Amino acid sequence: MSDAYLTLDKLTLAYGDTVAVKDLDLTIEKGELVALLGPSGCGKTTTMRSIAGLLNPASGRITLDGADITRVSANKRNVGLVFQSYALFPHLTVYENVAFGLRLKGVSGKQLDDKVTASIKSVGLASFAARKPGELSGGQQQRVALARSMVMEPKVLLLDEPLSNLDARLRLEMRAELQRVQKGTGVTMIFVTHDQIEALALADRIVVMLNGGIEQIGTPEDIYNKPVSAFVADFVGFENVFALENGKLATPNGLVELSASASQVPVPAATKGLAWRPRMVILGSGPFQGTVRGTSFAGNTREYLLDTPLGPIKAEVDAALPSHAIGATLSFDLPLAAAAPLSRCR
Ligand SMILES: Nc1ncnc2c1ncn2[C@@H]1O[C@H](COP(=O)(O)OP(=O)(O)OP(=O)(O)O)[C@@H](O)[C@H]1O
Ligand SMILES: [Mg+2]
């Protein structure tokens, strides 16, 4: 990619003999907001630590703004890092917390004051500058942590689960805040989350990680609508995922032919699996039969769990439709046209 600003090139990261990240390739453009998304232990924090310079790669290369920084020490990289526990200095005011790093760098006088004031203002805390962290809400403290990193004008700002300490409502607010600050300042930002909703809502691009590698990189729309692997499909809510063998669905009861109407749409040869969201399942007609095992009301929709020869199937239909009782037998279809084709399946 021509606009590469930060590149990770065949990066392998290990703790002693434990390889946590293997041969990771990633290119990030200047000003992008990228989310690292994945289950616990997949290597998100490890990757961030290596970008920050807190962990030396076992092999591979990191470049930033045209320079190889693989062996550059953490304090010379100009990379900001905000952790989940953002550890503000409790005895210092908001102003002094934000000024701290600049003072260490020898910035003083009007230049210091201008930068600190602008940074505090950018996170909406201008009237809180004289308070101490203990006199702020969790979200306000988080904004101080953000201002403290931003004021250093990092080339890249890394945020490791910065919102995970906050309650649901504050999280939503802070999400919007993060996005606003990032777009306002144009800082290149990578944030870690294991919450797919958060990644979809915030990021320009999402990197889905699994077992120390990258499963998929794409825009939120790509990841949500066009998952490439069974893992990503499942992760973003395609709850009916099947491997394909010889153009047939692999089920617990052997290979099953897709419906006749569906077979008119050719499945690309490279397709290794198919996935349907519950709302893509057609309930009430189709070549398959299932028995309702469970049903739950979800406001606008009603969800059904069906026992079927294909294994358990989850379907979601308009709640205004007549409901079906547990034990009822229903026809259903998995329309091929709606399915997400997977190029990797398990
Ligand atoms: N200091 C360490 N020493 C040895 N192994 C470690 C160390 N830190 C992490 N690991 C291992 O490296 C792998 C990746 O860990 P990492 O912290 O990067 O995961 P993560 O994706 O950030 O997970 P989480 O969502 O739980 O924070 C895990 O298997 C973990 O056990
Ligand atoms: Mg982590």
Side-chain angles (χ1 to χ4, degrees):
M1 221 183 287
S2 57
D3 291 352
Y5 185 62
L6 173 68
T7 63
L8 312 182
D9 185 12
K10 293 259 169 303
L11 202 62
T12 294
L13 306 168
Y15 300 97
D17 291 339
T18 312
V19 174
V21 169
K22 181 110 181 88
D23 287 336
L24 189 109
D25 288 318
L26 179 61
T27 301
I28 291 174
E29 291 174 26
K30 190 168 184 165
E32 257 195 308
L33 205 180
V34 171
L36 296 189
L37 175 68
S40 184
C42 71
K44 304 180 298 293
T45 295
T46 303
T47 303
M48 299 285 258
R49 293 186 68 216
S50 75
I51 299 170
L54 302 175
L55 180 68
N56 270 327
S59 63
R61 219 162 68 104
I62 305 175
T63 64
L64 176 59
D65 198 10
D68 186 332
I69 59 162
T70 316
R71 303 288 159 199
V72 173
S73 67
N75 58 357
K76 300 234 163 68
R77 288 189 183 199
N78 204 1
V79 170
L81 183 57
V82 178
F83 275 114
Q84 179 179 332
S85 54
Y86 24 83
L88 301 172
F89 299 115
H91 59 291
L92 297 182
T93 61
V94 167
Y95 186 98
E96 285 304 325
N97 263 284
V98 175
F100 191 84
L102 287 177
R103 286 197 202 283
L104 276 187
K105 268 175 74 178
V107 181
S108 64
K110 181 166 180 335
Q111 198 195 4
L112 176 85
D113 189 51
D114 285 351
K115 285 187 184 219
V116 173
T117 305
S119 180
I120 292 174
K121 194 165 162 237
S122 79
V123 296
L125 288 178
S127 55
F128 295 84
R131 294 223 194 155
K132 299 208 170 131
E135 300 160 343
L136 300 174
S137 73
Q140 289 164 341
Q141 290 180 37
Q142 206 258 357
R143 284 190 258 169
V144 178
L146 203 57
R148 188 177 57 172
S149 288
M150 303 276 294
V151 80
M152 305 304 286
E153 293 166 26
K155 290 189 165 174
V156 182
L157 185 56
L158 308 174
L159 302 119
D160 195 350
E161 306 243 13
L163 309 183
S164 60
N165 277 344
L166 309 178
D167 67 40
R169 226 189 70 195
L170 205 50
R171 269 180 95 111
L172 276 180
E173 255 173 55
M174 282 313 299
R175 251 186 231 167
E177 188 74 13
L178 255 186
Q179 209 170 25
R180 193 184 62 77
V181 169
Q182 194 270 337
K183 292 298 167 218
T185 59
V187 66
T188 307
M189 202 184 263
I190 307 177
F191 77 98
V192 162
T193 178
H194 53 244
D195 179 346
Q196 48 125 335
I197 308 277
E198 191 161 284
L200 292 168
L202 260 177
D204 296 320
R205 273 196 310 156
I206 297 175
V207 178
V208 184
M209 292 184 67
L210 177 68
N211 299 331
I214 292 178
E215 276 285 296
Q216 186 171 359
I217 303 178
T219 62
E221 288 80 2
D222 282 342
I223 301 288
Y224 190 77
N225 293 319
K226 298 176 195 160
V228 297
S229 71
F231 171 76
V232 178
D234 191 53
F235 206 62
V236 297
F238 286 76
E239 293 182 69
N240 306 296
V241 180
F242 294 90
L244 267 185
E245 283 173 35
N246 304 322
K248 295 177 181 155
L249 297 182
T251 79
N253 296 309
L255 298 183
V256 172
E257 198 87 59
L258 280 157
S259 64
S261 62
S263 64
Q264 286 156 13
V265 190
V267 180
T271 304
K272 296 286 191 291
L274 293 172
W276 288 266
R277 289 187 182 280
R279 66 175 157 75
M280 295 166 171
V281 177
I282 294 171
L283 209 55
S285 68
F288 307 117
Q289 298 241 302
T291 308
V292 177
R293 174 159 34 118
T295 164
S296 65
F297 175 63
N300 290 333
T301 60
R302 189 180 294 280
E303 290 173 4
Y304 292 95
L305 183 61
L306 305 177
D307 280 327
T308 85
L310 312 180
I313 290 286
K314 224 175 186 186
E316 185 184 321
V317 297
D318 193 328
L321 295 170
S323 63
H324 306 285
I326 289 178
T329 299
L330 299 175
S331 303
F332 71 94
D333 197 4
L334 299 172
L336 184 56
L342 310 175
S343 53
R344 271 175 291 134
C345 215
R346 276 159 257 270

